[in-house]
Amino acid sequence: MEQPITEQSNPLSSNIDVASSEEIVQILYACDLEIFHGWKNSQGIKDKGLIDKIENLAKKISNVIEKPGGGIVISGCGTSGRIAFLTARTFNCYLKSKGKEECFQYIIAGDDKALFTSIELAEDDPVVGAEKLNQVCKEKASVVYIGVTCGLSAPFVAGQLDLCLSQPEKYTPVLIGFNPVELARNLDIEKWDKTFLQVAQNLEIAEKQQKAFILNPVIGPEPITGSSRMKSGTTTRILLEVLSLFAIQKDIKLSIEELMSMYESVCNCVYKQSHHLGSLIDLAGASLNSGGNIYYLGCEGFGLMAMIDASECPPTYGASFHDIRGFVTGGFSALNNNDGDLSNLGSQYQISVEDFEREILPAITSDDLVVLLGEDIFQRSSKSLLDLPCKKAYVTFQWDQTSTSSTCVEFGLALSIALNAPLVDRISPDCKFLVMQLLEEVSLKWVVNSLSTGAHILKGKVCQNMMIDVKVSNSKLFHRAVGIVQNYSSLSHEESCHCLLKSIYDTDILTEEQTSAPVVSHINAASQKLMVVPVAILIAKLSCSIKSAKEMISCQPVLRKVLIQKDCSA
């Protein structure tokens, strides 16, 4: 079976692990341009068929929300669910400011805890997904449901789409993802009678009957293989924002193509600063490699974007949640999230700048890096940081072409990115400020994704362009882990799976009970283990024992260097 595009390795980034920091930024830029220019024979988000669908769907949404009992529900798992939350929050705030009903709602697998920490196992349950959608929509007469799953793979979303298809009089289902339908996951889903592929094929039939929509532009593989928080997450933002803008603001005075071109323009502006972004990555990598931590501080959307970037590092890179953390002014009072204040549930839910100032600032060290995001937080916090020993950086965005990046002696690295979107002045006055806010926030996403990705590359979490310390925390990541082992070892799928199980169960000889256990048992056994996949790769590649593999990684955490050393000594 052909490998899904979202899970393939991108040839543009095959040497990102041995690149300099500035080269890392340039590689990320080349990969992100595929969002707009497409991959191979595709046209990315500028595909005419996609734009026509967005236009028709925007009209449908507009009609639904103008009627009593109508609403828009955006749902997803992990990154997709967090972007669903951000989109609903942003556009509800805009509607409220105009005296209109707040008609956007979000669902995230694992509920609001998953906004701040990884609860990957929650995305494996289609029944719970359908129940959540029923709960949210029980009082609604008509709903446009938008399910986001970048790889067309999440059972949680599949269950919701299937529910929508069974009630066409109430729901208009929309699927957003970045693989062709024929590459949707076709694996059995535990406790369910369908695969994602079967649901997607049923959705295709409904689309031909004008009862559903599939928005699945082909944007190419991620720069870090399978890390959908990056390019796929950015594309999800762009699609949801463009769609929502045209649904709620009929007089925007720009075409969909022109609005997408504005996103491309600000992408170019961000990556134009590759030298200064590289310096920021160097600061971040030095902190992680010396045992320090990285702290993002920001107000409103900037703080939320940074908080989300930080929350995605543990499942992506096997990082501790302490390694990179994000804080937003006001904490939960600024979120408008479904479940309210969760700060009493533990330190990972203490997300306010005030929490940072009270709990972390007094113990800050020279190994730590504090990154202030935006002018508002700089005005609030820069003076209190000036005399502290930590590394400091400041990032802001200006709609002024005279702005330049510079290094501030007092505050370490100061990065001011001049944004340029020539069409912004043509946007209707009612909507101009909102569009500028959205463009600034997606620009910040490119910055913090570059920082956290580059820092973890420098820490040895990536081999070639593959994240190798992925936590085996749900079905999708278990199968991805097997694929990673197979990719580096050239073993069969079954042999690679056995190497992964040896690492999970910490044994050189597997029992019948271990090999025949369901995937969920493997996930539970792996949940508290460190370096599961790197150890499995060495077992598969070198035919060594568990003990030897762990000793090699202890001496040299960068896996590619271990393998090169072994090749040279052979």
Side-chain angles (χ1 to χ4, degrees):
M1 185 176 70
E2 185 181 351
Q3 187 179 30
I5 294 165
T6 54
E7 298 289 333
Q8 292 180 28
S9 172
N10 196 321
L12 294 174
S13 59
S14 58
N15 288 314
I16 198 169
D17 61 329
V18 293
S20 69
S21 293
E22 185 172 351
E23 288 168 342
I24 288 172
V25 176
Q26 292 166 350
I27 290 169
L28 296 177
Y29 180 30
C31 292
D32 276 326
L33 283 178
E34 292 179 328
I35 296 171
F36 306 100
H37 299 170
W39 180 71
K40 292 189 175 179
N41 297 323
S42 74
Q43 295 178 285
I45 63 170
K46 294 183 179 180
D47 179 81
K48 181 65 167 58
L50 175 73
I51 290 170
D52 288 344
K53 285 186 185 182
I54 292 173
E55 186 174 349
N56 292 331
L57 178 54
K59 291 176 183 176
K60 175 69 177 180
I61 292 173
S62 183
N63 291 335
V64 166
I65 63 180
E66 286 175 359
K67 297 176 183 178
I72 309 164
V73 178
I74 311 172
S75 178
C77 313
T79 296
S80 299
R82 295 172 193 124
I83 293 173
F85 156 71
L86 285 175
T87 304
R89 177 185 181 277
T90 297
F91 284 93
N92 278 338
C93 287
Y94 175 77
L95 290 171
K96 185 177 181 180
S97 73
K98 300 298 179 183
K100 297 181 179 180
E101 182 182 354
E102 299 173 45
C103 58
F104 288 81
Q105 289 181 274
Y106 72 92
I107 300 172
I108 181 170
D111 300 324
D112 279 359
K113 290 180 182 179
L115 293 173
F116 319 105
T117 187
S118 174
I119 309 180
E120 300 276 2
L121 195 58
E123 69 181 67
D124 283 347
D125 197 328
V127 177
V128 170
E131 289 172 351
K132 293 289 182 185
L133 182 59
N134 255 330
Q135 291 169 10
V136 168
C137 300
K138 61 184 177 182
E139 303 296 330
K140 296 188 180 299
S142 59
V143 176
V144 174
Y145 164 82
I146 304 174
V148 186
T149 167
C150 298
L152 307 190
S153 59
F156 183 85
V157 173
Q160 294 173 338
L161 289 167
D162 191 56
L163 172 68
C164 293
L165 289 168
S166 71
Q167 300 181 35
E169 70 286 351
K170 178 172 181 174
Y171 293 101
T172 299
V174 182
L175 169 61
I176 292 181
F178 308 108
N179 285 316
V181 167
E182 62 268 21
L183 295 183
R185 179 170 291 166
N186 196 28
L187 298 173
D188 290 339
I189 296 173
E190 292 186 28
K191 302 177 183 178
W192 213 47
D193 62 348
K194 298 181 181 71
T195 68
F196 200 105
L197 176 61
Q198 291 169 332
V199 174
Q201 289 170 333
N202 291 337
L203 204 64
E204 275 190 313
I205 295 170
E207 185 177 45
K208 290 176 183 177
Q209 299 168 346
Q210 299 184 338
K211 296 178 180 179
F213 294 85
I214 301 175
L215 308 182
N216 59 333
V218 175
I219 57 171
E222 295 287 349
I224 304 300
T225 306
S227 181
S228 58
R229 78 190 193 102
M230 300 179 70
K231 185 160 68 174
S232 295
T234 302
T235 309
T236 299
R237 270 203 71 135
I238 294 171
L239 292 178
L240 289 175
E241 289 168 5
V242 170
L243 178 60
S244 300
L245 281 166
F246 276 85
I248 67 172
Q249 177 57 265
K250 295 180 180 179
D251 191 32
I252 195 170
K253 298 188 177 182
L254 286 181
S255 68
I256 291 172
E257 295 95 325
E258 287 172 327
L259 192 54
M260 288 179 171
S261 293
M262 291 176 62
Y263 281 92
E264 183 179 2
S265 294
V266 299
C267 176
N268 294 334
C269 291
V270 172
Y271 283 114
K272 184 179 179 181
Q273 303 292 337
S274 61
H275 174 71
H276 296 283
L277 283 171
S279 298
L280 189 59
I281 288 172
D282 283 331
L283 280 179
S287 285
L288 292 186
N289 277 316
S290 61
N293 304 306
I294 298 167
Y295 302 106
Y296 299 129
L297 308 183
C299 300
E300 289 291 327
F302 279 8
L304 294 176
M305 278 307 309
M307 182 188 72
I308 285 172
D309 180 80
S311 73
E312 292 163 344
C313 290
T316 302
Y317 297 110
S320 162
F321 98 91
H322 294 287
D323 288 348
I324 303 182
R325 295 186 63 185
F327 298 90
V328 59
T329 52
F332 282 95
S333 65
L335 263 61
N336 300 321
N337 59 302
N338 291 336
D339 297 341
D341 192 341
L342 304 177
S343 58
N344 63 336
L345 297 182
S347 57
Q348 64 264 50
Y349 303 107
Q350 292 170 356
I351 59 168
S352 72
V353 170
E354 294 78 10
D355 289 327
F356 170 81
E357 292 169 341
R358 182 180 61 255
E359 302 294 335
I360 295 174
L361 201 58
I364 209 94
T365 74
S366 58
D367 291 327
D368 298 320
L369 169 64
V370 179
V371 187
L372 300 184
L373 302 168
E375 180 68 23
D376 291 343
I377 196 68
F378 184 79
Q379 294 298 329
R380 170 191 165 125
S381 302
S382 58
K383 290 182 181 178
S384 63
L385 290 170
L386 279 178
D387 295 330
L388 294 177
C390 59
K391 304 176 185 69
K392 311 167 190 74
Y394 167 46
V395 180
T396 190
F397 303 94
Q398 304 291 335
W399 292 91
D400 176 1
Q401 293 310 290
T402 63
S403 299
T404 57
S405 302
S406 61
T407 301
C408 171
V409 175
E410 280 191 319
F411 204 73
L413 180 68
L415 174 58
S416 179
I417 297 176
L419 298 180
N420 178 26
L423 298 172
V424 74
D425 290 329
R426 281 180 45 200
I427 297 173
S428 60
D430 268 359
C431 211
K432 181 176 178 179
F433 179 79
L434 173 60
V435 172
M436 292 173 70
Q437 172 194 335
L438 296 173
L439 293 174
E440 288 179 4
E441 288 180 11
V442 78
S443 297
L444 179 72
K445 183 180 187 299
W446 277 308
V447 170
V448 293
N449 282 176
S450 296
L451 183 155
S452 58
T453 299
H456 282 105
I457 288 171
L458 296 182
K459 195 178 180 183
K461 294 287 188 176
V462 172
C463 187
Q464 293 179 309
N465 56 4
M466 195 167 290
M467 47 185 182
I468 52 168
D469 197 19
V470 60
K471 287 191 175 179
V472 184
S473 54
N474 69 8
S475 177
K476 178 184 76 175
L477 295 177
F478 176 86
H479 292 293
R480 180 181 296 168
V482 173
I484 292 172
V485 175
Q486 186 175 12
N487 178 72
Y488 281 101
S489 65
S490 299
L491 297 180
S492 69
H493 181 273
E494 183 179 5
E495 291 168 329
S496 300
C497 184
H498 279 197
C499 290
L500 181 65
L501 294 181
K502 286 180 180 180
S503 182
I504 289 173
Y505 292 108
D506 199 23
T507 180
D508 292 323
I509 302 174
L510 292 167
T511 66
E512 171 74 22
E513 182 180 2
Q514 290 167 338
T515 58
S516 62
V519 170
V520 67
S521 297
H522 305 326
I523 294 166
N524 291 335
S527 61
Q528 302 302 317
K529 299 284 182 67
L530 298 176
M531 303 296 284
V532 168
V533 178
V535 168
I537 292 170
L538 290 182
I539 295 169
K541 182 75 174 176
L542 305 176
S543 299
C544 64
S545 67
I546 290 281
K547 181 180 178 181
S548 296
K550 289 183 176 181
E551 288 175 351
M552 284 184 273
I553 287 175
S554 177
C555 295
Q556 173 53 268
V558 180
L559 190 66
R560 201 172 183 189
K561 292 182 179 179
V562 174
L563 296 176
I564 290 171
Q565 289 170 359
K566 287 295 178 182
D567 285 342
C568 291
S569 61

